[in-house]
Amino acid sequence: AGTRRARASAQTSLHVPYGDGDGEKLDIYFPADPSGTFPVLVYIHGGYWQCLSKDESGFAAPPLVSQGVAVVAVGYDTAPKGHMDAMVLQVRRSLAFLVERYSGIRGIYLCGHSAGAHLAAMVLSTDWTEYGVVPDIKGAVLVSGVYDLEPILHTYVNDALNMSREVAQRNSPMLCIAPAVPAAVACEVLVAVAQHDSPEFRRQSQEYSQALRAAGWSVSLMDLAGVDHFDIIEKLSEESYVLTQVGEELPSSL
């Protein structure tokens, strides 16, 4: 219902292609007055890289859009059609597309849940020189993410993904943390994990946040009580944690 409401009320562009692939589409929820500059929250959905889509991702839009923030839900080709390398590339390209297409963007905030947090973390490790643009990523909210893909190799999750060890390693955020360049130091990373996430999810969130911090990134780890892997994202959007994270500098910059 949240997505439907967002679609009805906002100035919305659905299924905007950022590439030629079937899954390479964005849903963009603009603020009421998109003529000026505006911050953008880019939401990357979860679903173990094989289910869900951008179409369920509009739930975060209404409170943000009403505050003058554009919300972009990213579509990507999930498995078995999508290969892990391809998904990572698609999400990176979607950001380059946004920056090139919309000159009004003033700062990008990434938010991803589960597999989406993995993809958002891979965005943080992008070498943007090959894309010809450098998105101004001011913050990232990584919710119950997977930062090391190797433990997945021997689980049912890999049946559809069909990853080799090599593919898992080169797409593990834990193994490709970029040293924080000056721009990255200004990027606030919030790593959120649920009290009832599995021990493996909790371990990965702790280790990834420590590794980012060691590389010079500005990181905080949030451990949310009373929620599990699935309802943590609802709790975060309901209680406007995401809004608060983006909103820290909104009033001053609006």
Side-chain angles (χ1 to χ4, degrees), residues 36-213:
T37 60
F38 47 89
V40 176
L41 178 87
V42 175
Y43 181 78
I44 306 168
H45 72 82
Y48 290 109
W49 304 276
Q50 51 202 289
C51 50
L52 299 181
S53 72
K54 68 175 174 51
D55 303 339
E56 295 90 15
S57 301
F59 63 87
L64 287 159
V65 167
S66 68
Q67 300 275 332
V69 180
V71 174
V72 176
V74 179
Y76 53 92
D77 284 316
T78 49
K81 181 174 188 214
H83 184 268
M84 186 59 74
D85 289 322
M87 290 183 243
V88 168
L89 189 61
Q90 283 177 329
V91 172
R92 288 171 169 168
R93 282 200 353 253
S94 74
L95 258 78
F97 167 84
L98 277 172
V99 174
E100 285 171 343
R101 171 83 181 266
Y102 300 102
S103 55
I105 291 179
R106 185 187 71 244
I108 292 173
Y109 297 83
L110 294 172
C111 179
H113 173 237
S114 193
H118 159 267
L119 292 168
M122 288 301 291
V123 168
L124 294 180
S125 73
T126 307
D127 173 3
W128 291 106
T129 49
E130 28 190 303
Y131 293 83
V133 292
V134 183
D136 180 16
I137 300 173
K138 290 193 180 301
V141 182
L142 308 175
V143 185
S144 289
V146 181
Y147 308 107
D148 175 4
L149 297 180
E150 282 207 56
I152 286 172
L153 287 173
H154 310 293
T155 70
Y156 76 93
V157 173
N158 200 35
D159 295 349
L161 291 168
N162 205 9
M163 287 187 295
S164 64
R165 169 157 276 110
E166 192 188 13
V167 169
Q169 285 175 339
R170 72 167 166 259
N171 291 294
S172 287
M174 192 72 198
L175 301 178
C176 54
I177 290 176
V181 293
V185 176
C187 174
E188 299 274 341
V189 183
L190 174 65
V191 178
V193 66
Q195 178 186 355
H196 304 299
D197 258 321
S198 72
E200 176 66 19
F201 273 104
R202 292 178 59 80
R203 179 186 71 78
Q204 289 206 14
S205 290
Q206 281 153 356
E207 290 184 4
Y208 182 60
S209 58
Q210 284 161 356
L212 275 178
R213 200 171 289 127

Side-chain angles (χ1 to χ4, degrees), residues 14-34:
L14 298 179
H15 317 304
V16 177
Y18 64 85
D20 300 329
D22 293 340
E24 299 183 359
K25 307 268 196 307
L26 305 171
D27 287 349
I28 307 176
Y29 304 88
F30 290 103
D33 177 21

